[in-house]
Amino acid sequence: MGHVLLQIHNITWIVMAVLFLISLIAYRQKAWSMVLRLTYVVMLVTGIWMLIRTHFPIVYDIKGILALLLIGLMEMALGRRQKQKSAALSLLFVVIDLILILLIGYKII
Ligand code: HEM
């Protein structure tokens, strides 16, 4: 079961990143950001499930919080894009946060 969760988690974050980029570019088409939000749910469900199975290791607790922040930052960037405002700063934080999450996820830090 753990392996299946990890596989789903591992594939979905890549789908999430691609959908985020498409949603930024095609920000007038709401369908993309709707599907993007579905990937948030899959990441949260598989992530929390793995946290429970691994008894909430502190490093992954922190990663979970960084992931919630990432979802907020991505929504902020999309919101600014839809209002035709610059999303540069929130995009910078999205990239920094995602790199941190991946470094923890792949056990590099
Ligand atoms: C939404 C952004 C997220 C990204 C980009 C992300 C990315 C990753 C990556 C790349 C891995 C390593 C996969 C592997 O070793 O093959 C991982 C593992 C993990 N993630 Fe996430 N994750 C996210 C959200 C979450 C959330 C919200 C939680 C918990 C609330 C979470 C909990 C975990 C746990 C517990 C593992 C480790 C599983 C293990 O090695 O046994 N993740 N994540």
Side-chain angles (χ1 to χ4, degrees):
M1 184 62 188
H3 186 64
V4 174
L5 286 172
L6 200 59
Q7 288 300 329
I8 296 170
H9 198 72
N10 222 356
I11 293 163
T12 308
W13 84 259
I14 296 165
V15 175
M16 182 186 77
V18 171
L19 282 170
F20 176 61
L21 290 176
I22 296 172
S23 303
L24 272 178
I25 296 161
Y27 61 91
R28 289 195 183 83
Q29 297 164 22
K30 295 266 180 288
W32 292 110
S33 50
M34 300 309 284
V35 185
L36 172 65
R37 289 170 190 137
L38 273 180
T39 64
Y40 297 162
V41 174
V42 175
M43 289 307 288
L44 288 169
V45 169
T46 53
I48 293 166
W49 199 338
M50 289 191 293
L51 268 186
I52 294 166
R53 287 174 59 86
T54 52
H55 310 293
F56 298 91
I58 184 69
V59 176
Y60 285 104
D61 298 341
I62 294 167
K63 179 177 163 295
I65 294 164
L66 288 173
L68 290 174
L69 178 67
L70 180 74
I71 291 170
L73 287 167
M74 288 195 284
E75 285 299 305
M76 195 193 294
L78 286 175
R80 292 186 66 82
R81 193 84 176 89
Q82 274 146 16
K83 292 189 196 106
Q84 317 269 337
K85 290 183 182 166
S86 166
L89 195 60
S90 26
L91 283 176
L92 176 66
F93 287 129
V94 164
V95 172
I96 294 168
D97 193 7
L98 181 59
I99 291 170
L100 265 178
I101 290 170
L102 296 178
L103 290 174
I104 297 172
Y106 290 122
K107 302 179 174 68
I108 297 162
I109 56 172

